[in-house]
Amino acid sequence: MISKLIDGIRAKKAPVVVGLDPNLKFIPAELMDEAKREVAGRESVYDEDLETAAEAVWHFNHDIIDAVADLVPAVKPQSAMYEQFGIPGIVTFWKTIRYAHEKGLIVIGDVKRGDIGSTSEAYAAAHLGKIGIGGTKTKVFDEDFATVNPYLGSDGVKPFIDVCNENDRGIFVLVKTSNPSSGELQDLKMADGRAVYEVVGEYVNEWGKLSMDGEYSNIGAVVGATYPEQGKVLRKLMPHTFILVPGYGAQGAKGSDLTDFFDDRGLGAIVNSSRGIIAAYLKEKYQGFGPEGFAEAARAAAEDMIEDIGTALEKAGKSIR
Amino acid sequence: MISKLIDGIRAKKAPVVVGLDPNLKFIPAELMDEAKREVAGRESVYDEDLETAAEAVWHFNHDIIDAVADLVPAVKPQSAMYEQFGIPGIVTFWKTIRYAHEKGLIVIGDVKRGDIGSTSEAYAAAHLGKIGIGGTKTKVFDEDFATVNPYLGSDGVKPFIDVCNENDRGIFVLVKTSNPSSGELQDLKMADGRAVYEVVGEYVNEWGKLSMDGEYSNIGAVVGATYPEQGKVLRKLMPHTFILVPGYGAQGAKGSDLTDFFDDRGLGAIVNSSRGIIAAYLKEKYQGFGPEGFAEAARAAAEDMIEDIGTALEKAGKSIR
């Protein structure tokens, strides 16, 4: 699966993934009103407010996907933003994945799951594999990649690797996250001088050998754009590990901070932006699009981000090839 | 909320939670057949196999809850086991929580979520709080407690604490998990001699001060029954932290291993068993109940577990009071 993602990055010259984290604050009022009318006109199974929010998010995602599908190789829905609207929200998560696939996009499910062995097996089946029920095998949420939390160690991660191998899927394991307090645990220094994130990086590099797909492994890592120094260290420590880089834009990082996450051919990393793209119409720079032009604003912001990263890679002698 | 859990433990003399992790292997064939007929007789919205599995799990949980509701204070559904059956599975997760509440049980959602701040906020609202939609506030999954992964540090945990304080809810933060490879990260030794799980334990103890509810805090910890030495250390390190202890029974621990997790009055900890109770009818000891007596077998296994732990606490001079 990682080779498919790399093909997409090359074809579109865009090591960029659009994060679909549709906070209600980002949804134009008109879309909410429309969803309200839609829900009022049918029989509700669940709570009407949850159904309204989920319906609005679905229309929002649909239009964002249409606007960026030819620009980027992948989208990354964040499961919390759907779980918060209960069953209707998770229906929207599922519909969003299916629609992104229809539009030829790779889907990274940002679910950050991870548990003891038998439980990780169930999460892996749910998000990346198939579940066996009475002799048949059924796909469930069917993402292409999922993010995985490493706190439980190998036996929480290996079931995901098995499912990746059986179904040609991939994962990104949290190594060094983009948030301000990520260092509280991840930067703790061992007696031998290594930080926890380096130890986790070494594990990810080892786990990666179990699922190679060309030069890179299906077992990737998450390293925040907000920590470029650590990104540089980890790029060297994990030579065959593809890096998913959150934290661009709204969280503070820009293209020129990120060139060390990439290999010499401009590969090895894909940068996520969520708010910075999907809520671009709320920023001064794109406010001319207005709420009704939220999808066009997202397209413009995606183009700007691709150019920013492309220019930075070019300056660093790392243009994508 | 922790005081409510303690009241339940005292009233039932049972520091025991029944884990609702309904692997399909545990579901009697008759229940699956019945679910199949039920699904065949109605219009399916999703995949029929997923609906069948979810329906069977719902009936299974319903009968287990009926069988143990007067014995134990709480149940702990594990979200992976529901997510694996897609939307219909999550509907069963939601129905199970509602039914357990109807029966007076406290619900610990074993969801092991955790993310950057704004995303943890959404998870906290989904599982423990309310979500604001157009001026109204709506409860979503409405568990009483949720488990939380600490890998992202304070700003991934604090949004959960805020929601606990606003809604009288609680969390259990993963500190030292029960699985064989938990030590790969959690036992790493710092330069100052502390292990990662001790550092996390100290954080949990500090976070706990933000949500005290009587002698204990609403911010609890998960420490595996399979690591009694670490449990002893952590009990002292986190004097006001209630401990959720998985790993009893099927994972190997027994009552006499666990007394150091408790305080002098037999409080401070609650022990989980999943397979050991809900799949008891598959074990030699309870096979006389047969598949049709799965719920009665679960009741017998719960009674045996309560007695085993009660006897161990008594011997240690820690009878519940």
mmCIF file of all heavy atoms in Angstrom, chain A residues 295-320:
data_model
loop_
_atom_site.group_PDB
_atom_site.id
_atom_site.type_symbol
_atom_site.label_atom_id
_atom_site.label_comp_id
_atom_site.label_asym_id
_atom_site.label_seq_id
_atom_site.Cartn_x
_atom_site.Cartn_y
_atom_site.Cartn_z
ATOM 1 N N ALA A 295 -15.382 25.253 -0.308
ATOM 2 C CA ALA A 295 -14.665 24.177 -0.999
ATOM 3 C C ALA A 295 -13.596 24.766 -1.935
ATOM 4 O O ALA A 295 -12.470 24.263 -2.004
ATOM 5 C CB ALA A 295 -15.646 23.295 -1.766
ATOM 6 N N GLU A 296 -13.943 25.859 -2.629
ATOM 7 C CA GLU A 296 -12.968 26.520 -3.505
ATOM 8 C C GLU A 296 -11.829 27.098 -2.668
ATOM 9 O O GLU A 296 -10.661 27.071 -3.082
ATOM 10 C CB GLU A 296 -13.621 27.646 -4.326
ATOM 11 C CG GLU A 296 -14.572 27.179 -5.425
ATOM 12 C CD GLU A 296 -15.936 26.756 -4.890
ATOM 13 O OE1 GLU A 296 -16.207 26.989 -3.689
ATOM 14 O OE2 GLU A 296 -16.709 26.176 -5.668
ATOM 15 N N ALA A 297 -12.153 27.634 -1.485
ATOM 16 C CA ALA A 297 -11.107 28.151 -0.595
ATOM 17 C C ALA A 297 -10.174 27.016 -0.169
ATOM 18 O O ALA A 297 -8.947 27.183 -0.108
ATOM 19 C CB ALA A 297 -11.737 28.817 0.631
ATOM 20 N N ALA A 298 -10.757 25.844 0.116
ATOM 21 C CA ALA A 298 -9.954 24.681 0.497
ATOM 22 C C ALA A 298 -9.020 24.293 -0.648
ATOM 23 O O ALA A 298 -7.838 23.983 -0.440
ATOM 24 C CB ALA A 298 -10.861 23.506 0.869
ATOM 25 N N ARG A 299 -9.554 24.352 -1.868
ATOM 26 C CA ARG A 299 -8.732 24.031 -3.044
ATOM 27 C C ARG A 299 -7.556 25.010 -3.165
ATOM 28 O O ARG A 299 -6.415 24.600 -3.384
ATOM 29 C CB ARG A 299 -9.584 24.070 -4.308
ATOM 30 C CG ARG A 299 -8.809 23.708 -5.568
ATOM 31 C CD ARG A 299 -9.676 23.648 -6.821
ATOM 32 N NE ARG A 299 -8.818 23.400 -7.976
ATOM 33 C CZ ARG A 299 -8.436 22.182 -8.373
ATOM 34 N NH1 ARG A 299 -8.844 21.124 -7.723
ATOM 35 N NH2 ARG A 299 -7.624 22.034 -9.412
ATOM 36 N N ALA A 300 -7.864 26.282 -2.993
ATOM 37 C CA ALA A 300 -6.805 27.293 -3.102
ATOM 38 C C ALA A 300 -5.745 27.084 -2.016
ATOM 39 O O ALA A 300 -4.534 27.182 -2.271
ATOM 40 C CB ALA A 300 -7.412 28.693 -2.994
ATOM 41 N N ALA A 301 -6.186 26.772 -0.796
ATOM 42 C CA ALA A 301 -5.237 26.553 0.303
ATOM 43 C C ALA A 301 -4.392 25.301 0.059
ATOM 44 O O ALA A 301 -3.196 25.270 0.375
ATOM 45 C CB ALA A 301 -5.991 26.436 1.629
ATOM 46 N N ALA A 302 -5.011 24.276 -0.532
ATOM 47 C CA ALA A 302 -4.256 23.054 -0.850
ATOM 48 C C ALA A 302 -3.198 23.355 -1.912
ATOM 49 O O ALA A 302 -2.047 22.912 -1.811
ATOM 50 C CB ALA A 302 -5.204 21.951 -1.320
ATOM 51 N N GLU A 303 -3.588 24.141 -2.920
ATOM 52 C CA GLU A 303 -2.620 24.523 -3.968
ATOM 53 C C GLU A 303 -1.456 25.302 -3.364
ATOM 54 O O GLU A 303 -0.289 25.052 -3.695
ATOM 55 C CB GLU A 303 -3.318 25.356 -5.052
ATOM 56 C CG GLU A 303 -4.179 24.525 -5.983
ATOM 57 C CD GLU A 303 -5.018 25.376 -6.959
ATOM 58 O OE1 GLU A 303 -5.425 26.505 -6.597
ATOM 59 O OE2 GLU A 303 -5.282 24.893 -8.056
ATOM 60 N N ASP A 304 -1.782 26.237 -2.456
ATOM 61 C CA ASP A 304 -0.721 27.034 -1.825
ATOM 62 C C ASP A 304 0.211 26.162 -0.990
ATOM 63 O O ASP A 304 1.422 26.357 -0.973
ATOM 64 C CB ASP A 304 -1.336 28.134 -0.934
ATOM 65 C CG ASP A 304 -1.995 29.226 -1.774
ATOM 66 O OD1 ASP A 304 -1.744 29.268 -3.002
ATOM 67 O OD2 ASP A 304 -2.770 30.027 -1.205
ATOM 68 N N MET A 305 -0.368 25.195 -0.281
ATOM 69 C CA MET A 305 0.447 24.311 0.558
ATOM 70 C C MET A 305 1.363 23.441 -0.301
ATOM 71 O O MET A 305 2.540 23.256 0.003
ATOM 72 C CB MET A 305 -0.476 23.429 1.406
ATOM 73 C CG MET A 305 0.276 22.416 2.263
ATOM 74 S SD MET A 305 -0.889 21.484 3.315
ATOM 75 C CE MET A 305 0.232 20.229 3.984
ATOM 76 N N ILE A 306 0.805 22.916 -1.401
ATOM 77 C CA ILE A 306 1.613 22.084 -2.305
ATOM 78 C C ILE A 306 2.777 22.915 -2.862
ATOM 79 O O ILE A 306 3.916 22.442 -2.943
ATOM 80 C CB ILE A 306 0.732 21.511 -3.445
ATOM 81 C CG1 ILE A 306 -0.272 20.499 -2.865
ATOM 82 C CG2 ILE A 306 1.586 20.872 -4.538
ATOM 83 C CD1 ILE A 306 -1.427 20.141 -3.792
ATOM 84 N N GLU A 307 2.477 24.168 -3.206
ATOM 85 C CA GLU A 307 3.533 25.027 -3.749
ATOM 86 C C GLU A 307 4.583 25.352 -2.688
ATOM 87 O O GLU A 307 5.789 25.323 -2.962
ATOM 88 C CB GLU A 307 2.923 26.316 -4.296
ATOM 89 C CG GLU A 307 3.867 26.984 -5.301
ATOM 90 C CD GLU A 307 3.449 28.415 -5.620
ATOM 91 O OE1 GLU A 307 2.225 28.667 -5.694
ATOM 92 O OE2 GLU A 307 4.361 29.269 -5.762
ATOM 93 N N ASP A 308 4.133 25.654 -1.469
ATOM 94 C CA ASP A 308 5.050 25.975 -0.369
ATOM 95 C C ASP A 308 6.019 24.812 -0.117
ATOM 96 O O ASP A 308 7.238 25.003 -0.020
ATOM 97 C CB ASP A 308 4.231 26.285 0.898
ATOM 98 C CG ASP A 308 5.101 26.492 2.127
ATOM 99 O OD1 ASP A 308 6.172 27.139 2.011
ATOM 100 O OD2 ASP A 308 4.721 26.008 3.220
ATOM 101 N N ILE A 309 5.481 23.602 -0.058
ATOM 102 C CA ILE A 309 6.335 22.441 0.209
ATOM 103 C C ILE A 309 7.205 22.140 -1.007
ATOM 104 O O ILE A 309 8.399 21.834 -0.869
ATOM 105 C CB ILE A 309 5.481 21.226 0.630
ATOM 106 C CG1 ILE A 309 4.844 21.515 1.999
ATOM 107 C CG2 ILE A 309 6.321 19.949 0.701
ATOM 108 C CD1 ILE A 309 3.860 20.468 2.469
ATOM 109 N N GLY A 310 6.615 22.249 -2.205
ATOM 110 C CA GLY A 310 7.383 22.009 -3.433
ATOM 111 C C GLY A 310 8.573 22.956 -3.550
ATOM 112 O O GLY A 310 9.683 22.541 -3.886
ATOM 113 N N THR A 311 8.334 24.228 -3.267
ATOM 114 C CA THR A 311 9.401 25.227 -3.342
ATOM 115 C C THR A 311 10.497 24.925 -2.317
ATOM 116 O O THR A 311 11.695 25.004 -2.624
ATOM 117 C CB THR A 311 8.818 26.639 -3.073
ATOM 118 O OG1 THR A 311 7.750 26.848 -3.995
ATOM 119 C CG2 THR A 311 9.873 27.714 -3.258
ATOM 120 N N ALA A 312 10.068 24.557 -1.096
ATOM 121 C CA ALA A 312 11.044 24.238 -0.045
ATOM 122 C C ALA A 312 11.890 23.028 -0.438
ATOM 123 O O ALA A 312 13.118 23.024 -0.248
ATOM 124 C CB ALA A 312 10.319 23.982 1.273
ATOM 125 N N LEU A 313 11.238 22.014 -1.020
ATOM 126 C CA LEU A 313 11.976 20.813 -1.430
ATOM 127 C C LEU A 313 12.951 21.153 -2.556
ATOM 128 O O LEU A 313 14.092 20.677 -2.580
ATOM 129 C CB LEU A 313 11.007 19.706 -1.878
ATOM 130 C CG LEU A 313 10.232 18.997 -0.757
ATOM 131 C CD1 LEU A 313 9.212 18.015 -1.356
ATOM 132 C CD2 LEU A 313 11.173 18.238 0.187
ATOM 133 N N GLU A 314 12.502 22.002 -3.487
ATOM 134 C CA GLU A 314 13.345 22.401 -4.612
ATOM 135 C C GLU A 314 14.596 23.124 -4.105
ATOM 136 O O GLU A 314 15.725 22.810 -4.517
ATOM 137 C CB GLU A 314 12.531 23.312 -5.523
ATOM 138 C CG GLU A 314 13.070 23.414 -6.947
ATOM 139 C CD GLU A 314 12.234 24.412 -7.760
ATOM 140 O OE1 GLU A 314 10.984 24.351 -7.679
ATOM 141 O OE2 GLU A 314 12.853 25.259 -8.445
ATOM 142 N N LYS A 315 14.384 24.069 -3.179
ATOM 143 C CA LYS A 315 15.512 24.820 -2.607
ATOM 144 C C LYS A 315 16.492 23.909 -1.907
ATOM 145 O O LYS A 315 17.696 24.181 -1.860
ATOM 146 C CB LYS A 315 14.992 25.861 -1.615
ATOM 147 C CG LYS A 315 14.508 27.134 -2.275
ATOM 148 C CD LYS A 315 14.303 28.248 -1.249
ATOM 149 C CE LYS A 315 13.612 29.447 -1.894
ATOM 150 N NZ LYS A 315 12.871 30.246 -0.927
ATOM 151 N N ALA A 316 15.966 22.824 -1.310
ATOM 152 C CA ALA A 316 16.828 21.877 -0.593
ATOM 153 C C ALA A 316 17.414 20.828 -1.536
ATOM 154 O O ALA A 316 18.087 19.894 -1.097
ATOM 155 C CB ALA A 316 16.030 21.205 0.519
ATOM 156 N N GLY A 317 17.163 20.990 -2.858
ATOM 157 C CA GLY A 317 17.664 20.012 -3.837
ATOM 158 C C GLY A 317 16.972 18.667 -3.722
ATOM 159 O O GLY A 317 17.550 17.619 -4.004
ATOM 160 N N LYS A 318 15.709 18.692 -3.296
ATOM 161 C CA LYS A 318 14.978 17.444 -3.060
ATOM 162 C C LYS A 318 13.673 17.376 -3.844
ATOM 163 O O LYS A 318 12.697 16.764 -3.379
ATOM 164 C CB LYS A 318 14.653 17.321 -1.567
ATOM 165 C CG LYS A 318 15.858 17.072 -0.652
ATOM 166 C CD LYS A 318 15.400 16.892 0.793
ATOM 167 C CE LYS A 318 16.525 16.342 1.677
ATOM 168 N NZ LYS A 318 16.035 15.989 3.022
ATOM 169 N N SER A 319 13.634 17.999 -5.032
ATOM 170 C CA SER A 319 12.380 17.952 -5.796
ATOM 171 C C SER A 319 11.938 16.505 -6.002
ATOM 172 O O SER A 319 12.768 15.616 -6.217
ATOM 173 C CB SER A 319 12.586 18.619 -7.157
ATOM 174 O OG SER A 319 12.843 19.990 -6.968
ATOM 175 N N ILE A 320 10.631 16.299 -5.963
ATOM 176 C CA ILE A 320 10.079 14.936 -6.065
ATOM 177 C C ILE A 320 10.445 14.296 -7.399
ATOM 178 O O ILE A 320 10.199 14.860 -8.451
ATOM 179 C CB ILE A 320 8.542 14.976 -5.909
ATOM 180 C CG1 ILE A 320 8.182 15.415 -4.484
ATOM 181 C CG2 ILE A 320 7.925 13.616 -6.206
ATOM 182 C CD1 ILE A 320 6.700 15.644 -4.268
#
